[in-house]
Amino acid sequence: MCSCFTLFIVLYLLNMPDESFGEMFTSMLSVNQAVSAERKLIDHLIIYIEHEAQRLEDIKRFFSRVTSLHDGIYNEPSDPIANPIAAFKLVKRLKSEWLNVVHSTEAEENIKVLREDYRRMESSLPKLEDLRGAAHGLMRLQDVYNLHVESLVRGHFQQISDPVDFYKLSVSDMLSGDDCFLVGKVAYDLEDYYHSVLWFEEAVRLFRGTEWSPENEGTLEDALDHLAFSHFKEIKNQLKTWITSPHRRCFFQADLNSKTGNISHALSLSRELLLHDPMNRRVHFNVEKYEKLLNENLPATSSGLTLKRPDGIYLRTRNAYEQLCQTKGSQPKHFENPSLFCDYFTNGSPALFLQPIRREIISLQPYVVLFHGFVTQAEAKNIRKYAMPGLRRSVVASGMNQATAEYRISKSAWLKESAHEVVGKLDQRITLVTGLNVQPPYAEYLQVVNYGIGGHYEPHFDHATSDSSPLYRLKTGNRVATIMIYLSPVQAGGSTAFIYANFSVPVVQNAALFWWNLHKNGQGNVDTLHAGCPVIVGNKWGMFKNKNFHKVTCTAVTNIVHPKIIILSSSTHSPLVQILFKFFSYVQHNRTYTEEWWKPLLYILYFDLYNGCQWLLFFNILQKILFCLHPKKETHKSLELF
């Protein structure tokens, strides 16, 4: 087929316990791997505890023996030291035994072994980047699904506008004060005071009245310090600074009860901090600064400042995207639109006559179809198995190069038919239901993607939108269509949201979602702007590629299609094939044609299709070549007959 008919294939895979590579937060597969790593650390810790318990037991025995002497013979009325044996033992204990107990290296040896075991496993453990990425994942879920931070801390997914759980876990886990502190610290380091205020507030609440644990990184003092300064920085960011002029100076103060931009609250937090750390000179300086700001003729009323989310890359479509992820968009209603229906689909293929596929028309503009039961459980398992070893951090187009990005959190791997038989079977099945040749170079290789913590892909196009894309170097042409195959369910989140079309499609196990990215004239369909919503609960696998634009010439079309017609013409004496062969030969050599050629040929092809002949592939090829070579309005109308 024409090189402009490149098929973009997406697979969603879930729940895979195996190995992956680096950047753990970008793949739930890697997170599952971390569970196994922690189990090994637990085994090492058990050994350490056993050795330490034995060491402490030896010390306890020494303690019991010495105290029994002092409670016994050393309390006798007679002089115990008069006994030379008792005297010798006393001298020996003080000179030797106490020395061995106090200066024993057994504790250091035990901890050294534990640290060595940890060091050997360190390469498979999360890095600082993973901790930050996991924290961003929680904040992403908080934003996209409008989740209440306090409920999220308690292990519930409740929206701010609705106290009912967005999704209820069978087994929930709560966040500690230190957990909240680290999430807030990630936002704080990025000067994202909107999130830092919310998470530090929870950290302070949980730290109050609890004892510090040695495994914690943060303390109540740390949380108070960061929360107070976050409040101050947020008001500074919103109001910028003092507004001065030769005749007037004014400063807008937020309300005392405001959640942010509240200098009074920053002052009270700083004063509370001084109760725990009265010698902290920096906090004393901050208190003086806040008091000065409050005393400089500030208005008594509030300017109504509230927490302001930081702007994102896709700010223009953010509200629509987030509402669709929350399934608040206008979902397709088949009972209201007779053009949307479900049926058993064969696409005119004999291979599907005995077992047609269940087709659900989701949308007509853009044209989106869901094929139910597209793959079997065994096929899904094999694809997951083959993809796991090759998973790497997913990239996006960055000029002429590729780079990782925060708006795409996943890992991906490529699968080729030559290496995996199941891939070839899927390619054949895709061809049957779509009529498209998905064999390279007419389609890209299958790319499997596993999403990470709060993994997502923000609004994007699959088709070409820029002439500078790396896709040009592949010479595969623009992406005319996308098919996404879901290989297992996602418990919550992970829908595919079509932003401008205003509907979203949830993950359906073993189903395939298909849509056309281009119009008939080869131009991109803006209504296909879509996004992968963040996964709340589940282990979602998916694939996304760079979106590039490649204008295919008619010469390229005929050069690619013509050899196929030659092969077909040599294997059959069908008059239709012979006519097609002559037509393509004429087009390739003359690059032009007259209406006397193309109209009769189209109608011959039309009636042949109606009589049950399987020439759909030839019809698609012919239709596109005619459109490329002769894009007249009357030609468009004729083509639309088919």
Side-chain angles (χ1 to χ4, degrees):
M1 290 186 65
C2 167
S3 65
C4 66
F5 296 106
T6 301
L7 183 65
F8 180 39
I9 304 174
V10 180
L11 286 181
Y12 286 122
L13 312 123
L14 296 106
N15 302 325
M16 293 308 304
D18 208 341
E19 296 184 355
S20 188
F21 303 84
E23 294 179 308
M24 186 176 295
F25 76 97
T26 64
S27 167
M28 292 306 294
L29 177 67
S30 300
V31 177
N32 285 336
Q33 179 189 4
V35 175
S36 300
E38 188 170 43
R39 288 197 183 104
K40 293 179 181 178
L41 284 177
I42 291 173
D43 292 338
H44 295 314
L45 186 60
I46 289 174
I47 295 174
Y48 170 75
I49 291 173
E50 290 174 349
H51 289 167
E52 282 292 282
Q54 182 62 49
R55 182 181 67 84
L56 292 175
E57 195 63 36
D58 294 338
I59 295 175
K60 287 180 180 179
R61 281 198 300 269
F62 175 77
F63 170 79
S64 298
R65 181 163 59 87
V66 173
T67 54
S68 65
L69 289 173
H70 283 267
D71 293 338
I73 62 173
Y74 290 169
N75 280 335
E76 292 295 327
S78 60
D79 187 2
I81 304 304
N83 185 336
I85 294 177
F88 169 78
K89 293 183 68 175
L90 174 62
V91 173
K92 186 221 179 225
R93 281 199 310 275
L94 293 174
K95 177 58 181 175
S96 177
E97 294 178 11
W98 276 96
L99 191 67
N100 292 335
V101 170
V102 173
H103 294 283
S104 172
T105 60
E106 188 176 0
E108 288 81 357
E109 291 172 357
N110 290 341
I111 194 64
K112 181 179 179 181
V113 171
L114 180 63
R115 289 169 178 169
E116 183 63 26
D117 292 335
Y118 182 88
R119 187 191 62 79
R120 284 195 295 267
M121 294 185 57
E122 201 163 9
S123 60
S124 63
L125 299 178
K127 310 296 186 294
L128 179 60
E129 178 188 15
D130 296 309
L131 179 60
R132 291 171 177 167
H136 279 299
L138 290 180
M139 289 185 279
R140 187 178 308 117
L141 295 178
Q142 167 196 344
D143 292 341
V144 174
Y145 295 101
N146 195 29
L147 299 179
H148 199 286
V149 176
E150 184 176 353
S151 68
L152 196 59
V153 169
R154 291 186 282 107
H156 297 281
F157 300 96
Q158 295 178 351
Q159 293 180 307
I160 295 176
S161 58
D162 189 355
V164 180
D165 282 9
F166 189 84
Y167 177 79
K168 193 167 185 178
L169 292 166
S170 56
V171 179
S172 61
D173 196 5
M174 298 175 61
L175 294 174
S176 67
D178 192 59
D179 296 333
C180 297
F181 174 77
L182 286 177
V183 176
K185 186 66 164 55
V186 170
Y188 181 89
D189 291 341
L190 295 174
E191 299 183 356
D192 174 9
Y193 303 112
Y194 165 81
H195 288 102
S196 69
V197 165
L198 293 172
W199 286 93
F200 283 143
E201 283 181 344
E202 290 303 310
V204 168
R205 181 180 65 83
L206 293 171
F207 274 137
R208 282 177 176 149
T210 60
E211 294 184 359
W212 181 81
S213 299
E215 67 269 18
N216 287 350
E217 181 173 326
T219 64
L220 175 59
E221 292 83 352
D222 293 331
L224 287 169
D225 191 11
H226 284 82
L227 177 57
F229 201 65
S230 293
H231 274 292
F232 172 72
K233 292 294 291 186
E234 178 66 10
I235 191 173
K236 189 175 180 180
N237 286 347
Q238 290 193 38
L239 300 178
K240 301 303 180 183
T241 186
W242 293 84
I243 303 174
T244 59
S245 71
H247 306 290
R248 186 183 69 172
R249 182 178 68 179
C250 62
F251 181 82
F252 297 93
Q253 180 194 17
D255 183 72
L256 182 63
N257 296 322
S258 176
K259 287 292 185 183
T260 187
N262 193 327
I263 295 181
S264 296
H265 195 38
L267 176 59
S268 65
L269 290 168
S270 298
R271 286 172 174 169
E272 180 181 354
L273 175 56
L274 288 177
L275 297 177
H276 300 276
D277 187 9
M279 304 304 294
N280 193 317
R281 298 180 61 183
R282 179 178 54 79
V283 178
H284 276 289
F285 174 79
N286 288 343
V287 168
E288 293 176 1
K289 177 170 61 177
Y290 301 152
E291 290 175 340
K292 181 179 179 181
L293 291 174
L294 290 172
N295 291 330
E296 292 195 1
N297 299 321
L298 295 177
T301 58
S302 167
S303 60
L305 291 177
T306 57
L307 283 170
K308 182 179 182 299
R309 275 180 62 183
D311 296 338
I313 298 177
Y314 296 103
L315 182 63
R316 186 177 59 173
T317 59
R318 186 170 72 181
N319 290 339
Y321 161 57
E322 293 177 355
Q323 289 176 2
L324 288 172
C325 288
Q326 300 168 31
T327 64
K328 293 182 179 178
S330 60
Q331 304 301 305
K333 296 180 180 179
H334 298 74
F335 60 88
E336 294 181 356
N337 187 349
S339 299
L340 304 178
F341 59 88
C342 299
D343 66 353
Y344 286 95
F345 182 64
T346 65
N347 199 25
S349 171
L352 295 175
F353 282 166
L354 295 179
Q355 191 175 4
I357 194 163
R358 290 174 293 154
R359 179 180 64 166
E360 178 182 354
I361 307 298
I362 301 293
S363 170
L364 297 179
Q365 181 55 37
Y367 183 76
V368 180
V369 180
L370 186 67
F371 297 109
H372 292 265
F374 192 81
V375 295
T376 65
Q377 294 282 24
E379 289 171 334
K381 182 179 179 180
N382 285 332
I383 293 175
R384 296 194 298 260
K385 175 183 176 182
Y386 297 143
M388 287 186 292
L391 288 175
R392 299 293 187 276
R393 175 74 184 270
S394 298
V395 295
V396 297
S398 179
M400 294 298 292
N401 300 314
Q402 294 179 327
T404 60
E406 285 299 317
Y407 59 84
R408 186 186 186 187
I409 301 299
S410 62
K411 288 184 178 181
S412 58
W414 296 89
L415 297 182
K416 298 182 180 181
E417 178 186 1
S418 58
H420 310 293
E421 181 181 358
V422 67
V423 176
K425 292 181 179 179
L426 282 181
D427 285 345
Q428 294 173 8
R429 199 169 304 153
I430 292 169
T431 298
L432 290 176
V433 299
T434 65
L436 297 175
N437 184 353
V438 296
Q439 297 294 323
Y442 308 113
E444 299 168 1
Y445 290 115
L446 187 72
Q447 190 187 29
V448 181
V449 175
N450 180 221
Y451 289 80
I453 301 173
H456 70 142
Y457 197 172
E458 291 185 355
H460 63 283
F461 293 105
D462 287 346
H463 62 266
T465 57
S466 171
D467 292 333
S468 62
S469 170
L471 189 63
Y472 277 109
R473 297 194 293 270
L474 301 177
K475 298 181 180 180
T476 55
N478 203 354
R479 292 168 177 160
V480 65
T482 294
I483 186 166
M484 305 167 63
I485 305 173
Y486 304 99
L487 301 184
S488 57
V490 172
Q491 289 87 334
S495 298
T496 301
F498 288 82
I499 311 303
Y500 295 145
N502 194 32
F503 70 89
S504 59
V505 183
V507 175
V508 179
Q509 184 177 10
N510 296 337
L513 190 68
F514 173 83
W515 69 84
W516 297 101
N517 294 310
L518 305 181
H519 290 296
K520 291 181 180 180
N521 61 2
Q523 298 298 313
N525 186 348
V526 296
D527 286 333
T528 62
L529 181 73
H530 64 284
C533 296
V535 179
I536 300 177
V537 181
N539 187 3
K540 175 183 175 182
W541 294 65
M543 184 277 293
F544 292 97
K545 293 178 184 284
N546 300 325
K547 279 66 68 181
N548 312 315
F549 182 79
H550 180 62
K551 187 177 292 185
V552 180
T553 64
C554 296
T555 302
V557 173
T558 54
N559 284 341
I560 289 178
V561 177
H562 184 67
K564 285 186 170 293
I565 304 301
I566 293 177
I567 295 173
L568 289 170
S569 66
S570 64
S571 61
T572 179
H573 297 289
S574 167
L576 178 59
V577 174
Q578 296 301 323
I579 293 174
L580 286 172
F581 172 68
K582 292 180 180 179
F583 175 76
F584 282 114
S585 298
Y586 178 83
V587 170
Q588 187 175 21
H589 289 92
N590 295 277
R591 308 298 185 213
T592 185
Y593 60 92
T594 64
E595 293 187 356
E596 286 74 14
W597 270 90
W598 70 269
K599 281 188 175 180
L601 185 58
L602 282 180
Y603 280 102
I604 291 173
L605 191 55
Y606 177 77
F607 286 113
D608 241 333
L609 286 170
Y610 251 71
N611 289 330
C613 297
Q614 301 304 309
W615 307 118
L616 182 59
L617 177 62
F618 299 135
F619 170 72
N620 287 333
I621 297 171
L622 182 59
Q623 182 189 38
K624 296 303 180 180
I625 290 179
L626 289 171
F627 192 89
C628 287
L629 294 177
H630 198 58
K632 293 182 179 180
K633 185 175 182 180
E634 57 184 274
T635 310
H636 297 185
K637 292 181 179 179
S638 299
L639 293 177
E640 289 174 357
L641 291 174
F642 304 99

